[in-house]
Amino acid sequence: MDYFLNEEQLMIRDIARKIAEEKIVPVREELDEKEEFPWEIMKTIAQADLLRIFIPEEYEGLGKGALELCIAVEELSRACLGVSTTYAANALGTYPIILFGNEEQKKKYLPDIASGKRLVAFALTEANAGSDAGGIETTAKKEGDYYILNGTKQWITNGGEAEIYTVIAITDRTKGPRGASAFIVEKGTPGFSFGKKEKKMGIRASATRELIFENCRVPKENLLGREGMGFIVAMKTLDHSRVGVGAQGVGVAQGAFDVALEYARKRHQFGHPIISFQAIQHMLADMATEIEAARALVYSVARYMDSGAKDFSKESAMAKVFATDMAMRVTTNAVQILGGYGYMREYPVEKMMRDAKILQIYEGTNQIQRNVIGQELIKETLKKK
Ligand code: COS
């Protein structure tokens, strides 16, 4: 379908697609097998200016919006979700600085992020605080010109590899979610170390690691926004990034569909290509329809965000939940169409199915997305009364 993308958007799509086909597809299996962080690919992505997309122009970015980022994310995801997760998590970690950073913080960090000199990670989740993001236990205690951080963050994408971390910690436990604050913590800060590197079911090219803070001294200049704004920083950041998880769903589903379609044309059973059987045709028809519906929603939500809309929690959650549930169905059906071959590592669809599962879990489970949508629906009904 034609989404009436402008010249720049088409250029971003073509560049990302070229990197995906030429640099990612040939190594994705090996990266998955070895659980290897895709540094070489990230360098290529940086050289192609794809890390500049969402950074404002005054900080050496391209000043583009959610739609352009979604287009790039979708293309990378079509080839490998492990790589696209590394790329998208960098944006997730940067949003707190773009949305809440002061001029000095933006000048100090954004140009390096735009050029790819420094990679970023976002640190909210803890062992006892996943869906219940307000339940974090990591503390930040003000002492003179520093905040002293203590606690452990869990499952942090880009952990260990990133140079910059946006971290949510509690500055006043008595205030509940209003007692959290957000900080920029640089790798190498005394008292900041890395714990175990996780072994995962999918997205194995991406790094997922614990962050350990033991009397970690963070300069007070690294507080993002004001004290007590941490939960809002986290929620607004997730509102911005969730549509991108939707774009990941569209990308991985398209990648799996492409393989399934090609296979169905070539595979012969009972003397005919299996695509001639209605059972297979109907599966492919449903897959193609669902991918297009999800893409239309993701692009529409991204355009709505870029139009200057102030509140898009509901829409962003809708894009994430719809596109990622779709991705799980489509990748599973792609394996089904390939049958025994689909289950083998020889074909890429089993990896796509393993990879797709995380999309229903990270950046807020799809159950939490439905809570967000439900809460917004209640608010809208109350407004009408
Ligand atoms: N934008 C601005 N403010 C928001 C917000 C948003 N999107 N969502 C919540 N808030 C505000 C609320 O208005 C409330 O403010 P007040 O204290 O002034 O009333 C405060 O934040 C707490 O909100 P709420 O009471 O809704 O918080 P809950 O503890 O019930 O949690 C959910 C709400 C479940 C929606 C939230 O915790 C969530 O999104 N969890 C998933 C977390 C996640 O995505 N984890 C992945 C980690 S990053 S990969």
Side-chain angles (χ1 to χ4, degrees), residues 93 120-127 137-139 149-168 183-189 191-198 207-214 216:
V120 198
F122 177 67
L124 170 64
T125 304
E126 296 180 7
E137 291 164 5
T138 295
T139 53
L149 266 64
N150 277 291
T152 301
K153 293 290 174 184
Q154 184 172 260
W155 302 332
I156 305 307
T157 306
N158 291 343
E161 309 294 336
E163 296 286 328
I164 301 165
Y165 296 79
T166 42
V167 179
I168 313 295
F183 301 90
I184 302 170
V185 185
E186 295 187 30
K187 188 179 189 174
T189 306
F192 175 24
S193 61
F194 302 105
K196 79 168 175 278
K197 195 175 167 207
E198 304 292 345
T208 311
R209 201 144 172 197
E210 267 180 354
L211 312 184
I212 301 167
F213 301 100
E214 290 165 308
C216 171

Side-chain angles (χ1 to χ4, degrees), residues 125 130-131 133 178 231-232 235 238-239 242 313 363-364 368 372:
T125 304
S131 294
R178 285 175 174 276
F231 197 75
I232 303 296
M235 292 299 124
L238 291 164
D239 286 347
R242 281 173 180 160
S313 305
E363 294 195 34
I368 286 291
V372 171

Side-chain angles (χ1 to χ4, degrees), residues 253 255-260 263 283 287 328-339 342 349 352:
F257 174 81
D258 294 345
V259 177
Y263 179 88
M283 282 175 85
M287 288 157 80
M328 200 63 241
R329 279 194 302 276
V330 167
T331 54
T332 306
N333 279 336
V335 171
Q336 189 68 21
I337 288 173
L338 270 75
V349 286
M352 290 168 171

